[in-house]
PDB file of all heavy atoms in Angstrom:
ATOM      1  N   SER D  60     -18.039  12.494  -2.124  1.00 96.00           N
ATOM      2  CA  SER D  60     -19.223  11.867  -2.588  1.00 96.00           C
ATOM      3  C   SER D  60     -20.052  11.176  -1.549  1.00 96.00           C
ATOM      4  O   SER D  60     -21.315  11.209  -1.662  1.00 96.00           O
ATOM      5  CB  SER D  60     -19.010  11.033  -3.789  1.00 96.00           C
ATOM      6  OG  SER D  60     -18.244   9.781  -3.388  1.00 96.00           O
ATOM      7  N   GLU D  61     -19.454  10.519  -0.572  1.00 95.00           N
ATOM      8  CA  GLU D  61     -20.121   9.852   0.463  1.00 95.00           C
ATOM      9  C   GLU D  61     -20.256  10.591   1.720  1.00 95.00           C
ATOM     10  O   GLU D  61     -21.054  10.197   2.687  1.00 95.00           O
ATOM     11  CB  GLU D  61     -19.406   8.474   0.739  1.00 95.00           C
ATOM     12  CG  GLU D  61     -19.236   7.511  -0.440  1.00 95.00           C
ATOM     13  CD  GLU D  61     -20.516   6.929  -0.870  1.00 95.00           C
ATOM     14  OE1 GLU D  61     -21.432   6.724   0.005  1.00 95.00           O
ATOM     15  OE2 GLU D  61     -20.702   6.696  -2.018  1.00 95.00           O
ATOM     16  N   GLY D  62     -19.388  11.572   1.891  1.00 95.00           N
ATOM     17  CA  GLY D  62     -19.512  12.356   3.234  1.00 95.00           C
ATOM     18  C   GLY D  62     -18.849  11.677   4.427  1.00 95.00           C
ATOM     19  O   GLY D  62     -19.163  12.118   5.560  1.00 95.00           O
ATOM     20  N   ARG D  63     -18.121  10.610   4.174  1.00 95.00           N
ATOM     21  CA  ARG D  63     -17.506   9.853   5.220  1.00 95.00           C
ATOM     22  C   ARG D  63     -16.434   9.014   4.598  1.00 95.00           C
ATOM     23  O   ARG D  63     -16.312   8.727   3.462  1.00 95.00           O
ATOM     24  CB  ARG D  63     -18.565   8.818   5.850  1.00 95.00           C
ATOM     25  CG  ARG D  63     -19.037   7.901   4.838  1.00 95.00           C
ATOM     26  CD  ARG D  63     -19.942   6.810   5.417  1.00 95.00           C
ATOM     27  NE  ARG D  63     -20.528   5.903   4.439  1.00 95.00           N
ATOM     28  CZ  ARG D  63     -19.857   4.979   3.744  1.00 95.00           C
ATOM     29  NH1 ARG D  63     -18.580   4.686   4.142  1.00 95.00           N
ATOM     30  NH2 ARG D  63     -20.322   4.190   2.855  1.00 95.00           N
ATOM     31  N   PRO D  64     -15.456   8.545   5.440  1.00 94.00           N
ATOM     32  CA  PRO D  64     -14.375   7.642   5.014  1.00 94.00           C
ATOM     33  C   PRO D  64     -14.946   6.216   4.915  1.00 94.00           C
ATOM     34  O   PRO D  64     -16.042   5.963   5.440  1.00 94.00           O
ATOM     35  CB  PRO D  64     -13.322   7.773   6.153  1.00 94.00           C
ATOM     36  CG  PRO D  64     -14.135   8.155   7.353  1.00 94.00           C
ATOM     37  CD  PRO D  64     -15.221   8.985   6.905  1.00 94.00           C
ATOM     38  N   PRO D  65     -14.275   5.432   4.204  1.00 96.00           N
ATOM     39  CA  PRO D  65     -14.741   3.935   4.138  1.00 96.00           C
ATOM     40  C   PRO D  65     -14.900   3.416   5.582  1.00 96.00           C
ATOM     41  O   PRO D  65     -14.157   3.645   6.461  1.00 96.00           O
ATOM     42  CB  PRO D  65     -13.621   3.253   3.442  1.00 96.00           C
ATOM     43  CG  PRO D  65     -12.902   4.296   2.550  1.00 96.00           C
ATOM     44  CD  PRO D  65     -13.033   5.551   3.462  1.00 96.00           C
ATOM     45  N   LYS D  66     -15.951   2.561   5.721  1.00 96.00           N
ATOM     46  CA  LYS D  66     -16.244   1.967   7.081  1.00 96.00           C
ATOM     47  C   LYS D  66     -15.353   0.721   7.352  1.00 96.00           C
ATOM     48  O   LYS D  66     -15.391   0.278   8.516  1.00 96.00           O
ATOM     49  CB  LYS D  66     -17.737   1.673   7.054  1.00 96.00           C
ATOM     50  CG  LYS D  66     -18.609   2.897   7.122  1.00 96.00           C
ATOM     51  CD  LYS D  66     -20.050   2.494   7.118  1.00 96.00           C
ATOM     52  CE  LYS D  66     -20.955   3.716   7.056  1.00 96.00           C
ATOM     53  NZ  LYS D  66     -22.400   3.315   7.057  1.00 96.00           N
ATOM     54  N   SER D  67     -14.800   0.096   6.340  1.00 96.00           N
ATOM     55  CA  SER D  67     -14.115  -1.117   6.572  1.00 96.00           C
ATOM     56  C   SER D  67     -13.004  -1.295   5.526  1.00 96.00           C
ATOM     57  O   SER D  67     -12.945  -0.587   4.519  1.00 96.00           O
ATOM     58  CB  SER D  67     -15.038  -2.313   6.430  1.00 96.00           C
ATOM     59  OG  SER D  67     -15.515  -2.394   5.122  1.00 96.00           O
ATOM     60  N   HIS D  68     -12.105  -2.280   5.804  1.00 96.00           N
ATOM     61  CA  HIS D  68     -11.029  -2.548   4.815  1.00 96.00           C
ATOM     62  C   HIS D  68     -11.761  -3.042   3.495  1.00 96.00           C
ATOM     63  O   HIS D  68     -11.202  -2.654   2.420  1.00 96.00           O
ATOM     64  CB  HIS D  68     -10.148  -3.681   5.426  1.00 96.00           C
ATOM     65  CG  HIS D  68      -9.044  -4.180   4.315  1.00 96.00           C
ATOM     66  ND1 HIS D  68      -7.996  -3.347   4.187  1.00 96.00           N
ATOM     67  CD2 HIS D  68      -9.015  -5.232   3.629  1.00 96.00           C
ATOM     68  CE1 HIS D  68      -7.301  -4.081   3.183  1.00 96.00           C
ATOM     69  NE2 HIS D  68      -7.887  -5.143   2.914  1.00 96.00           N
ATOM     70  N   ALA D  69     -12.738  -3.834   3.556  1.00 97.00           N
ATOM     71  CA  ALA D  69     -13.464  -4.405   2.341  1.00 97.00           C
ATOM     72  C   ALA D  69     -13.936  -3.250   1.557  1.00 97.00           C
ATOM     73  O   ALA D  69     -13.828  -3.266   0.254  1.00 97.00           O
ATOM     74  CB  ALA D  69     -14.418  -5.346   2.711  1.00 97.00           C
ATOM     75  N   GLU D  70     -14.529  -2.244   2.213  1.00 97.00           N
ATOM     76  CA  GLU D  70     -15.140  -1.111   1.507  1.00 97.00           C
ATOM     77  C   GLU D  70     -14.042  -0.318   0.836  1.00 97.00           C
ATOM     78  O   GLU D  70     -14.181   0.199  -0.294  1.00 97.00           O
ATOM     79  CB  GLU D  70     -16.022  -0.259   2.410  1.00 97.00           C
ATOM     80  CG  GLU D  70     -16.703   0.875   1.654  1.00 97.00           C
ATOM     81  CD  GLU D  70     -17.593   1.773   2.470  1.00 97.00           C
ATOM     82  OE1 GLU D  70     -17.259   2.020   3.714  1.00 97.00           O
ATOM     83  OE2 GLU D  70     -18.581   2.200   2.001  1.00 97.00           O
ATOM     84  N   PHE D  71     -13.024  -0.063   1.589  1.00 97.00           N
ATOM     85  CA  PHE D  71     -11.773   0.614   1.076  1.00 97.00           C
ATOM     86  C   PHE D  71     -11.257  -0.113  -0.207  1.00 97.00           C
ATOM     87  O   PHE D  71     -11.031   0.605  -1.244  1.00 97.00           O
ATOM     88  CB  PHE D  71     -10.689   0.732   2.027  1.00 97.00           C
ATOM     89  CG  PHE D  71      -9.515   1.420   1.536  1.00 97.00           C
ATOM     90  CD1 PHE D  71      -9.350   2.771   1.457  1.00 97.00           C
ATOM     91  CD2 PHE D  71      -8.358   0.608   1.112  1.00 97.00           C
ATOM     92  CE1 PHE D  71      -8.197   3.329   0.963  1.00 97.00           C
ATOM     93  CE2 PHE D  71      -7.239   1.182   0.648  1.00 97.00           C
ATOM     94  CZ  PHE D  71      -7.134   2.554   0.587  1.00 97.00           C
ATOM     95  N   MET D  72     -11.111  -1.393  -0.185  1.00 97.00           N
ATOM     96  CA  MET D  72     -10.573  -2.174  -1.274  1.00 97.00           C
ATOM     97  C   MET D  72     -11.427  -2.012  -2.549  1.00 97.00           C
ATOM     98  O   MET D  72     -11.039  -1.850  -3.649  1.00 97.00           O
ATOM     99  CB  MET D  72     -10.299  -3.553  -0.886  1.00 97.00           C
ATOM    100  CG  MET D  72      -9.162  -3.692   0.104  1.00 97.00           C
ATOM    101  SD  MET D  72      -7.528  -2.996  -0.384  1.00 97.00           S
ATOM    102  CE  MET D  72      -7.044  -4.203  -1.742  1.00 97.00           C
ATOM    103  N   GLU D  73     -12.872  -2.111  -2.214  1.00 97.00           N
ATOM    104  CA  GLU D  73     -13.789  -2.107  -3.300  1.00 97.00           C
ATOM    105  C   GLU D  73     -14.062  -0.777  -3.908  1.00 97.00           C
ATOM    106  O   GLU D  73     -13.922  -0.558  -5.072  1.00 97.00           O
ATOM    107  CB  GLU D  73     -15.129  -2.724  -2.750  1.00 97.00           C
ATOM    108  CG  GLU D  73     -16.274  -2.674  -3.782  1.00 97.00           C
ATOM    109  CD  GLU D  73     -15.926  -3.811  -4.903  1.00 97.00           C
ATOM    110  OE1 GLU D  73     -15.399  -4.725  -4.566  1.00 97.00           O
ATOM    111  OE2 GLU D  73     -16.491  -3.614  -5.990  1.00 97.00           O
ATOM    112  N   LYS D  74     -14.258   0.269  -3.036  1.00 96.00           N
ATOM    113  CA  LYS D  74     -14.688   1.573  -3.516  1.00 96.00           C
ATOM    114  C   LYS D  74     -13.486   2.519  -3.788  1.00 96.00           C
ATOM    115  O   LYS D  74     -13.635   3.452  -4.499  1.00 96.00           O
ATOM    116  CB  LYS D  74     -15.607   2.318  -2.469  1.00 96.00           C
ATOM    117  CG  LYS D  74     -16.825   1.466  -2.140  1.00 96.00           C
ATOM    118  CD  LYS D  74     -17.916   1.788  -3.067  1.00 96.00           C
ATOM    119  CE  LYS D  74     -19.175   0.871  -2.814  1.00 96.00           C
ATOM    120  NZ  LYS D  74     -20.109   1.430  -1.847  1.00 96.00           N
ATOM    121  N   ILE D  75     -12.370   2.265  -3.252  1.00 96.00           N
ATOM    122  CA  ILE D  75     -11.143   3.123  -3.447  1.00 96.00           C
ATOM    123  C   ILE D  75     -10.203   2.406  -4.433  1.00 96.00           C
ATOM    124  O   ILE D  75      -9.880   2.900  -5.542  1.00 96.00           O
ATOM    125  CB  ILE D  75     -10.390   3.446  -2.193  1.00 96.00           C
ATOM    126  CG1 ILE D  75     -11.453   4.065  -1.110  1.00 96.00           C
ATOM    127  CG2 ILE D  75      -9.268   4.300  -2.432  1.00 96.00           C
ATOM    128  CD1 ILE D  75     -11.920   5.460  -1.493  1.00 96.00           C
ATOM    129  N   VAL D  76      -9.651   1.289  -4.088  1.00 96.00           N
ATOM    130  CA  VAL D  76      -8.618   0.599  -4.884  1.00 96.00           C
ATOM    131  C   VAL D  76      -9.213   0.053  -6.109  1.00 96.00           C
ATOM    132  O   VAL D  76      -8.815   0.386  -7.278  1.00 96.00           O
ATOM    133  CB  VAL D  76      -8.012  -0.489  -4.062  1.00 96.00           C
ATOM    134  CG1 VAL D  76      -6.974  -1.176  -4.867  1.00 96.00           C
ATOM    135  CG2 VAL D  76      -7.287   0.115  -2.786  1.00 96.00           C
ATOM    136  N   LYS D  77     -10.227  -0.786  -6.006  1.00 97.00           N
ATOM    137  CA  LYS D  77     -10.756  -1.526  -7.231  1.00 97.00           C
ATOM    138  C   LYS D  77     -11.451  -0.548  -8.211  1.00 97.00           C
ATOM    139  O   LYS D  77     -11.249  -0.581  -9.321  1.00 97.00           O
ATOM    140  CB  LYS D  77     -11.672  -2.626  -6.826  1.00 97.00           C
ATOM    141  CG  LYS D  77     -12.064  -3.542  -7.922  1.00 97.00           C
ATOM    142  CD  LYS D  77     -12.974  -4.626  -7.532  1.00 97.00           C
ATOM    143  CE  LYS D  77     -13.477  -5.544  -8.671  1.00 97.00           C
ATOM    144  NZ  LYS D  77     -14.315  -6.604  -8.246  1.00 97.00           N
ATOM    145  N   ALA D  78     -12.340   0.350  -7.627  1.00 96.00           N
ATOM    146  CA  ALA D  78     -13.123   1.219  -8.394  1.00 96.00           C
ATOM    147  C   ALA D  78     -12.225   2.239  -9.211  1.00 96.00           C
ATOM    148  O   ALA D  78     -12.599   2.711 -10.232  1.00 96.00           O
ATOM    149  CB  ALA D  78     -14.064   2.070  -7.573  1.00 96.00           C
ATOM    150  N   ASN D  79     -11.014   2.534  -8.624  1.00 96.00           N
ATOM    151  CA  ASN D  79     -10.060   3.441  -9.347  1.00 96.00           C
ATOM    152  C   ASN D  79      -8.896   2.778 -10.094  1.00 96.00           C
ATOM    153  O   ASN D  79      -8.002   3.403 -10.481  1.00 96.00           O
ATOM    154  CB  ASN D  79      -9.512   4.478  -8.257  1.00 96.00           C
ATOM    155  CG  ASN D  79     -10.650   5.414  -7.874  1.00 96.00           C
ATOM    156  OD1 ASN D  79     -10.946   6.344  -8.526  1.00 96.00           O
ATOM    157  ND2 ASN D  79     -11.149   5.118  -6.583  1.00 96.00           N
ATOM    158  N   GLN D  80      -9.036   1.467 -10.031  1.00 96.00           N
ATOM    159  CA  GLN D  80      -8.107   0.616 -10.764  1.00 96.00           C
ATOM    160  C   GLN D  80      -6.666   0.907 -10.253  1.00 96.00           C
ATOM    161  O   GLN D  80      -5.679   1.026 -11.138  1.00 96.00           O
ATOM    162  CB  GLN D  80      -8.203   0.775 -12.260  1.00 96.00           C
ATOM    163  CG  GLN D  80      -9.561   0.328 -12.856  1.00 96.00           C
ATOM    164  CD  GLN D  80      -9.668   0.590 -14.215  1.00 96.00           C
ATOM    165  OE1 GLN D  80      -8.699   0.947 -14.913  1.00 96.00           O
ATOM    166  NE2 GLN D  80     -10.839   0.306 -14.757  1.00 96.00           N
ATOM    167  N   ILE D  81      -6.435   1.153  -8.979  1.00 96.00           N
ATOM    168  CA  ILE D  81      -5.171   1.353  -8.371  1.00 96.00           C
ATOM    169  C   ILE D  81      -4.475   0.057  -8.096  1.00 96.00           C
ATOM    170  O   ILE D  81      -4.992  -0.820  -7.555  1.00 96.00           O
ATOM    171  CB  ILE D  81      -5.221   2.168  -6.967  1.00 96.00           C
ATOM    172  CG1 ILE D  81      -5.935   3.533  -7.412  1.00 96.00           C
ATOM    173  CG2 ILE D  81      -3.900   2.300  -6.338  1.00 96.00           C
ATOM    174  CD1 ILE D  81      -6.272   4.286  -6.189  1.00 96.00           C
ATOM    175  N   GLN D  82      -3.200  -0.185  -8.642  1.00 95.00           N
ATOM    176  CA  GLN D  82      -2.432  -1.341  -8.432  1.00 95.00           C
ATOM    177  C   GLN D  82      -1.533  -1.144  -7.211  1.00 95.00           C
ATOM    178  O   GLN D  82      -0.534  -0.324  -7.317  1.00 95.00           O
ATOM    179  CB  GLN D  82      -1.611  -1.593  -9.662  1.00 95.00           C
ATOM    180  CG  GLN D  82      -2.374  -2.061 -10.792  1.00 95.00           C
ATOM    181  CD  GLN D  82      -2.941  -3.462 -10.586  1.00 95.00           C
ATOM    182  OE1 GLN D  82      -2.350  -4.338  -9.974  1.00 95.00           O
ATOM    183  NE2 GLN D  82      -4.225  -3.634 -11.016  1.00 95.00           N
ATOM    184  N   LEU D  83      -1.788  -1.726  -6.061  1.00 95.00           N
ATOM    185  CA  LEU D  83      -1.051  -1.610  -4.891  1.00 95.00           C
ATOM    186  C   LEU D  83       0.209  -2.403  -5.117  1.00 95.00           C
ATOM    187  O   LEU D  83       0.224  -3.545  -5.612  1.00 95.00           O
ATOM    188  CB  LEU D  83      -1.822  -2.116  -3.701  1.00 95.00           C
ATOM    189  CG  LEU D  83      -3.034  -1.436  -3.250  1.00 95.00           C
ATOM    190  CD1 LEU D  83      -3.774  -2.088  -2.049  1.00 95.00           C
ATOM    191  CD2 LEU D  83      -2.682   0.084  -2.893  1.00 95.00           C
ATOM    192  N   PRO D  84       1.275  -1.876  -4.627  1.00 93.00           N
ATOM    193  CA  PRO D  84       2.645  -2.596  -4.816  1.00 93.00           C
ATOM    194  C   PRO D  84       2.600  -3.918  -4.048  1.00 93.00           C
ATOM    195  O   PRO D  84       1.928  -4.055  -3.004  1.00 93.00           O
ATOM    196  CB  PRO D  84       3.641  -1.699  -4.105  1.00 93.00           C
ATOM    197  CG  PRO D  84       3.102  -0.276  -4.194  1.00 93.00           C
ATOM    198  CD  PRO D  84       1.555  -0.517  -4.068  1.00 93.00           C
ATOM    199  N   GLU D  85       3.250  -4.854  -4.659  1.00 91.00           N
ATOM    200  CA  GLU D  85       3.352  -6.188  -4.025  1.00 91.00           C
ATOM    201  C   GLU D  85       4.136  -6.153  -2.775  1.00 91.00           C
ATOM    202  O   GLU D  85       5.174  -5.496  -2.722  1.00 91.00           O
ATOM    203  CB  GLU D  85       4.036  -7.268  -5.037  1.00 91.00           C
ATOM    204  CG  GLU D  85       4.130  -8.610  -4.481  1.00 91.00           C
ATOM    205  CD  GLU D  85       4.868  -9.512  -5.559  1.00 91.00           C
ATOM    206  OE1 GLU D  85       5.098  -9.152  -6.627  1.00 91.00           O
ATOM    207  OE2 GLU D  85       5.150 -10.617  -5.033  1.00 91.00           O
ATOM    208  N   LEU D  86       3.668  -6.877  -1.776  1.00 91.00           N
ATOM    209  CA  LEU D  86       4.300  -6.703  -0.485  1.00 91.00           C
ATOM    210  C   LEU D  86       5.213  -7.987  -0.158  1.00 91.00           C
ATOM    211  O   LEU D  86       5.063  -8.992  -0.837  1.00 91.00           O
ATOM    212  CB  LEU D  86       3.173  -6.679   0.590  1.00 91.00           C
ATOM    213  CG  LEU D  86       2.365  -5.488   0.770  1.00 91.00           C
ATOM    214  CD1 LEU D  86       1.334  -5.567   1.764  1.00 91.00           C
ATOM    215  CD2 LEU D  86       3.266  -4.214   1.035  1.00 91.00           C
ATOM    216  N   PRO D  87       6.226  -7.777   0.672  1.00 88.00           N
ATOM    217  CA  PRO D  87       7.032  -8.938   0.961  1.00 88.00           C
ATOM    218  C   PRO D  87       6.215 -10.021   1.610  1.00 88.00           C
ATOM    219  O   PRO D  87       5.168  -9.782   2.123  1.00 88.00           O
ATOM    220  CB  PRO D  87       7.999  -8.491   2.029  1.00 88.00           C
ATOM    221  CG  PRO D  87       7.923  -6.966   1.812  1.00 88.00           C
ATOM    222  CD  PRO D  87       6.627  -6.611   1.348  1.00 88.00           C
ATOM    223  N   ALA D  88       6.647 -11.283   1.496  1.00 87.00           N
ATOM    224  CA  ALA D  88       5.954 -12.421   2.151  1.00 87.00           C
ATOM    225  C   ALA D  88       5.691 -12.155   3.641  1.00 87.00           C
ATOM    226  O   ALA D  88       6.548 -11.670   4.296  1.00 87.00           O
ATOM    227  CB  ALA D  88       6.763 -13.703   1.997  1.00 87.00           C
ATOM    228  N   GLY D  89       4.497 -12.513   4.042  1.00 89.00           N
ATOM    229  CA  GLY D  89       4.215 -12.299   5.495  1.00 89.00           C
ATOM    230  C   GLY D  89       3.600 -10.966   5.845  1.00 89.00           C
ATOM    231  O   GLY D  89       3.321 -10.694   6.961  1.00 89.00           O
TER     232      GLY D  89
END
Side-chain angles (χ1 to χ4, degrees):
S60 65
E61 300 288 328
R63 61 171 177 79
K66 293 179 182 176
S67 66
H68 175 79
E70 184 178 35
F71 175 82
M72 294 303 289
E73 180 69 28
K74 303 275 178 87
I75 304 295
V76 177
K77 187 176 179 183
N79 292 281
Q80 300 178 3
I81 297 171
Q82 290 292 321
L83 295 176
E85 182 182 350
L86 294 174

